């Protein structure tokens, strides 16, 4: 069974601070995605990374996929209250037939105070 | 439709009652997934359909859980004889293709089931 360990579980910061969320596994994933989920809504895709060592930037968000495709990080610069939400990493299986089944981490609940 | 639609949004069931949760995926999407999300946790995979074929049901927690997608579009997740541990948000997701790494999954808003 492939597992994704996400940390920290909770993060409470002030507006303008930087933060990093980590997603680690002992297993290799063929791709890794980051989602953001707001209360009462389903997860919304932020980014997909597929190549080891890949770095993607989305405005103030920077995503990195580890060289061995076992870990990933999400860095937010100058956090804003609108960034508040549940952040989820999710991987798809490497090898065999993959139909896009997602294995999720436990999530990081981010609160950004004005 | 514009997105994945799930109904009902909220369901309160008495322990032992049967429930049926509906998912309308994005029109034309081949893949459909059901996930279960406990409060404050990440979603966990339940089952997968490619068109009308249920190719993976390894995540269904017991034989009280049953899912179908008879015409390859709308799907229903049925839970028989509900128990308190079934209380969770049930998410449906669809994606346009039958299987390729990194394919985006579009999620519905979920159905929050509370068993009392």
């Amino acid at each position: 069974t492939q597992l994704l360990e996400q940390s920290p579980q909770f993060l409470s910061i002030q507006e303008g601070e930087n933060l990093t969320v980590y997603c680690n596994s002992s297993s290799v994933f063929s791709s890794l995605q980051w989602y953001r989920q707001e209360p009462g809504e389903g997860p919304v895709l932020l980014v997909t990374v597929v190549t080891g060592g890949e770095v993607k930037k989305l405005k103030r968000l920077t995503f990195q996929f580890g060289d061995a495709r076992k870990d990933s990080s999400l860095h937010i610069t100058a956090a804003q209250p609108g960034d508040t939400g549940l952040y989820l990493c999710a991987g798809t299986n490497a090898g065999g037939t993959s139909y896009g089944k997602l294995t999720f981490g436990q999530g990081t609940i981010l609160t950004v105070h004005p | 439709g514009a997105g994945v639609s799930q109904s009902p949004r909220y369901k309160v069931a008495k322990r032992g009652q049967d429930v049926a949760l509906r998912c309308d995926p994005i029109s034309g999407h081949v893949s459909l997934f059901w996930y279960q999300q406990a409060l404050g946790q990440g979603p966990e995979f339940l089952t997968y359909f490619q068109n009308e074929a249920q190719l993976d049901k390894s995540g269904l927690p017991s034989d009280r859980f049953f899912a179908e997608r008879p015409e390859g579009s709308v799907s229903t997740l049925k839970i028989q004889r509900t128990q308190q541990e079934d209380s969770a948000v049930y998410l449906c997701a669809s994606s346009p293709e039958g299987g390729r790494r990194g394919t985006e999954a579009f999620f519905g808003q979920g159905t929050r089931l509370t068993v009392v």
Side-chain angles (χ1 to χ4, degrees):
Chain A
T1 303
Q2 293 183 302
L3 295 174
L4 275 169
E5 297 289 334
Q6 200 171 329
S7 63
Q9 189 174 356
F10 301 96
L11 201 49
S12 181
I13 61 172
Q14 294 297 124
E15 182 176 2
E17 293 183 0
N18 301 332
L19 66 111
T20 303
V21 178
Y22 299 93
C23 186
N24 296 292
S25 177
S26 58
S27 303
V28 176
F29 288 92
S30 61
S31 69
L32 201 135
Q33 298 177 326
W34 285 91
Y35 289 83
R36 179 165 169 260
Q37 185 177 21
E38 297 193 43
E41 302 293 328
V44 175
L45 181 67
L46 296 173
V47 77
T48 300
V49 285
V50 298
T51 304
E54 183 175 3
V55 177
K56 282 191 174 180
K57 292 190 176 183
L58 183 66
K59 297 183 180 178
R60 294 176 293 101
L61 278 60
T62 302
F63 305 86
Q64 185 165 8
F65 201 12
D67 291 341
R69 292 186 288 133
K70 294 182 178 181
D71 56 87
S72 181
S73 64
L74 157 61
H75 182 79
I76 301 179
T77 303
Q80 299 177 0
D83 295 328
T84 294
L86 174 66
Y87 288 81
L88 297 158
C89 63
T92 53
N93 295 337
T97 300
S98 174
Y99 49 78
K101 168 184 173 181
L102 294 170
T103 299
F104 282 89
Q106 308 99 309
T108 296
I109 298 175
L110 171 65
T111 304
V112 183
H113 301 280
Chain B
V4 178
S5 178
Q6 292 188 245
S7 60
R9 289 291 314 277
Y10 304 92
K11 176 69 178 177
V12 178
K14 291 185 178 180
R15 191 163 59 92
Q17 185 180 354
D18 297 349
V19 299
L21 312 180
R22 177 187 170 103
C23 172
D24 282 85
I26 294 172
S27 179
H29 276 196
V30 170
S31 293
L32 186 145
F33 303 84
W34 283 98
Y35 291 88
Q36 180 190 58
Q37 186 175 25
L39 187 64
Q41 298 294 313
E44 293 190 356
F45 170 80
L46 293 177
T47 187
Y48 166 68
F49 290 87
Q50 186 174 104
N51 296 308
E52 70 279 1
Q54 189 175 20
L55 299 186
D56 188 342
K57 54 182 181 179
S58 62
L60 296 176
S62 78
D63 59 8
R64 296 185 295 103
F65 287 71
F66 171 77
E68 60 183 5
R69 193 186 185 197
E71 298 180 358
S73 55
V74 171
S75 178
T76 304
L77 176 66
K78 298 179 179 178
I79 309 174
Q80 297 177 325
R81 304 182 302 282
T82 52
Q83 304 293 317
Q84 284 192 320
E85 61 263 28
D86 300 336
S87 296
V89 174
Y90 290 85
L91 293 165
C92 176
S94 69
S95 64
E97 299 183 20
R100 192 175 70 179
R101 69 173 185 171
T103 300
E104 179 175 1
F106 296 84
F107 283 83
Q109 294 175 301
T111 294
R112 179 177 294 281
L113 173 65
T114 303
V115 181
V116 298

